[in-house]
């Protein structure tokens, strides 16, 4: 069921390594697409053909210790599809000294159709659901866009199909973007992605380890449980049975319940769904955590140690 795990986005900040001339690197980088402004405290943004960006901070902010001089955001999984992109990432990261992550997206891909599933979340946070024209679920978000810890569950196959296709020819003689290599049979199989987006202090805590403000055993997929059961809850009383059926179909109604009642039914529904859940996200993550850590370590190791 679990097809693949990847680090889908990585953002890092750090100082510029002494002796490195940024202007010389940029002027000779054939993957550089353009330059633009940036939101303070950054001054410039450099855009590369793969979609990654490099930002340079205002010098007075760097000298005051408010921000690191460089920030780079890229998708490590692109390196698997195109070796030119992998080389670009290595070159940019070698500009850095004393690098640390500020965003880490951990993705797990499943060969399962999750479009008709219901989801329960034991944490008190926002949930948004996006439906397609057919009425099937296409994307589910747990956590607000501003949150340092957000989980996204979505139909990756549909996203890929809707993406703009074609070859990006951005330099004569440069390797064109590699195709996915998927067969028609693969294109018909379900492909759903469950992705944890870790930012700021949560990203740093995940990477550097537990502290007084970060739990020792942190699982970014903890508390999220799929419910595919249609059992009528015969073991429950009439009132509880009716409430469970209603809350299954209308999870937004949880917000109308008192705190104790809300907690009661969340635990009840989650406990019932766990019994027949086709996938345990938390357990899948624990089994692949070492892979995620090693992939991030391999990328950060390219920067000079500060």
């Amino acid at each position: 069921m679990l097809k693949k795990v990847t680090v889908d986005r990585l953002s890092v900040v750090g100082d510029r390594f002494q002796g490195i001339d940024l202007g010389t690197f940029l002027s000779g980088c054939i993957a550089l697409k353009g330059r633009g402004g940036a939101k303070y405290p950054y001054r410039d943004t450099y855009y590369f053909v793969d979609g990654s960006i490099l930002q340079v901070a205002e010098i007075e902010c760097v000298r005051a210790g408010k921000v690191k001089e460089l920030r780079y955001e890229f998708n490590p999984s692109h390196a698997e599809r195109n070796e030119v992109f992998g080389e670009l990432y290595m070159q940019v990261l070698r500009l850095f000294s004393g690098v640390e992550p500020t965003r880490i997206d951990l993705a797990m891909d499943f060969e399962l159709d999750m479009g008709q599933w219901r989801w329960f979340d034991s944490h008190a946070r926002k949930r948004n659901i996006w439906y397609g024209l057919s009425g099937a679920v296409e994307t589910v978000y747990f956590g607000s866009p501003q949150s340092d810890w957000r989980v996204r569950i979505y139909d990756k196959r549909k996203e890929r199909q809707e993406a703009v296709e074609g070859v990006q020819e951005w330099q004569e003689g440069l390797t064109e973007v590699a195709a996915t290599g998927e067969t028609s049979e693969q294109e018909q199989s379900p492909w759903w992605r469950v992705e944890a987006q870790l930012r700021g202090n949560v990203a740093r805590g995940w990477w550097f380890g537990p502290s007084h403000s970060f739990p020792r055993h942190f699982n970014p997929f903890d508390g999220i449980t799929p419910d595919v059961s249609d059992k009528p809850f015969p073991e429950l009383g009439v009132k509880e049975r009716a409430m469970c059926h209603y809350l299954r179909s209308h999870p937004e109604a949880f917000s109308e319940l008192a705190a104790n009642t809300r907690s009661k039914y969340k635990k009840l529904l989650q406990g019932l769904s766990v019994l027949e859940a086709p996938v345990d996200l938390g357990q899948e993550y624990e089994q692949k955590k070492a892979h995620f850590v090693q992939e991030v370590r391999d990328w950060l190791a390219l920067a000079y140690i500060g």
Side-chain angles (χ1 to χ4, degrees):
M1 293 187 296
L2 179 60
K3 179 180 179 180
K4 187 178 181 182
V5 297
T6 56
V7 176
D8 196 50
R9 180 179 297 189
L10 186 58
S11 298
V12 299
V13 296
D15 300 316
R16 179 168 53 87
F17 183 70
Q18 293 183 0
I20 294 289
D21 185 87
L22 184 59
T24 299
F25 165 75
L26 293 169
S27 62
C29 181
I30 59 176
L32 182 63
K33 184 178 180 181
R35 173 184 175 183
K39 185 177 179 180
Y40 187 84
Y42 293 96
R43 181 185 72 242
D44 298 309
T45 300
Y46 295 92
Y47 300 92
F48 299 92
V49 294
D50 66 302
S52 64
I53 62 171
L54 174 67
Q55 293 185 309
V56 182
E58 296 283 1
I59 191 62
E60 67 270 15
C61 295
V62 176
R63 289 173 177 170
K66 296 179 179 179
V67 66
K68 300 290 186 179
E69 183 177 0
L70 301 177
R71 175 182 177 271
Y72 188 47
E73 181 176 308
F74 66 105
N75 187 333
S77 66
H78 288 174
E80 298 180 7
R81 298 199 298 268
N82 192 309
E83 62 181 14
V84 177
F85 294 164
E87 181 63 27
L88 168 66
Y89 303 155
M90 289 190 287
Q91 291 177 0
V92 175
L93 288 171
R94 285 169 181 157
L95 302 172
F96 284 72
S97 173
V99 69
E100 64 179 56
T102 58
R103 176 168 176 171
I104 306 171
D105 287 7
L106 309 174
M108 301 191 297
D109 291 345
F110 294 89
E111 289 184 317
L112 293 168
D113 185 356
M114 302 179 178
Q116 301 299 324
W117 292 11
R118 294 177 291 260
W119 295 91
F120 297 109
D121 185 11
S122 63
H123 299 279
R125 54 183 168 181
K126 290 184 177 180
R127 171 167 56 178
N128 291 312
I129 303 176
W130 295 84
Y131 297 91
L133 296 177
S134 66
V137 173
E138 290 185 359
T139 307
V140 183
Y141 287 100
F142 298 95
S144 71
Q146 295 76 33
S147 173
D148 281 354
W149 173 24
R150 196 184 197 201
V151 176
R152 177 188 180 199
I153 301 173
Y154 63 102
D155 187 343
K156 184 64 178 178
R157 174 75 63 209
K158 186 171 183 60
E159 183 199 59
R160 177 64 60 86
Q161 290 171 345
E162 292 178 348
V164 177
E165 298 179 352
V167 176
Q168 296 177 333
E169 297 179 353
W170 34 271
Q171 180 78 15
E172 184 177 356
L174 191 63
T175 304
E176 63 185 31
V177 177
T180 61
E182 295 172 343
T183 65
S184 57
E185 181 179 352
Q186 288 174 318
E187 290 172 355
Q188 297 303 316
S189 63
W191 177 12
W192 278 71
R193 173 166 291 182
V194 182
E195 181 178 275
Q197 302 170 350
L198 313 180
R199 302 181 178 92
N201 291 332
V202 175
R204 293 185 183 92
W206 182 88
W207 176 245
F208 290 114
S211 64
H212 67 282
S213 60
F214 195 80
R216 178 173 297 276
H217 301 291
F218 173 71
N219 186 321
F221 302 97
D222 174 59
I224 299 177
T225 308
D227 173 28
V228 297
S229 174
D230 288 319
K231 282 188 174 181
F233 310 121
E235 67 275 25
L236 302 179
V238 174
K239 180 180 177 180
E240 290 180 328
R241 199 182 315 157
M243 281 290 289
C244 284
H245 278 298
Y246 184 78
L247 291 170
R248 266 182 163 178
S249 302
H250 303 278
E252 68 279 1
F254 274 107
S255 62
E256 302 176 28
L257 302 177
N260 290 340
T261 305
R262 181 166 59 247
S263 176
K264 169 188 173 180
Y265 281 99
K266 275 192 172 184
K267 291 179 180 179
L268 184 59
L269 284 169
Q270 188 174 27
L272 292 169
S273 64
V274 164
L275 297 176
E276 297 187 14
V279 61
D280 185 331
L281 299 181
Q283 185 178 46
E284 296 284 6
Y285 164 77
E286 291 295 344
Q287 293 175 353
K288 297 297 182 180
K289 181 179 178 180
H291 174 90
F292 286 127
V293 171
Q294 187 60 52
E295 186 173 352
V296 174
R297 179 181 291 119
D298 289 343
W299 287 110
L300 298 190
L302 295 171
Y304 291 95
I305 299 176

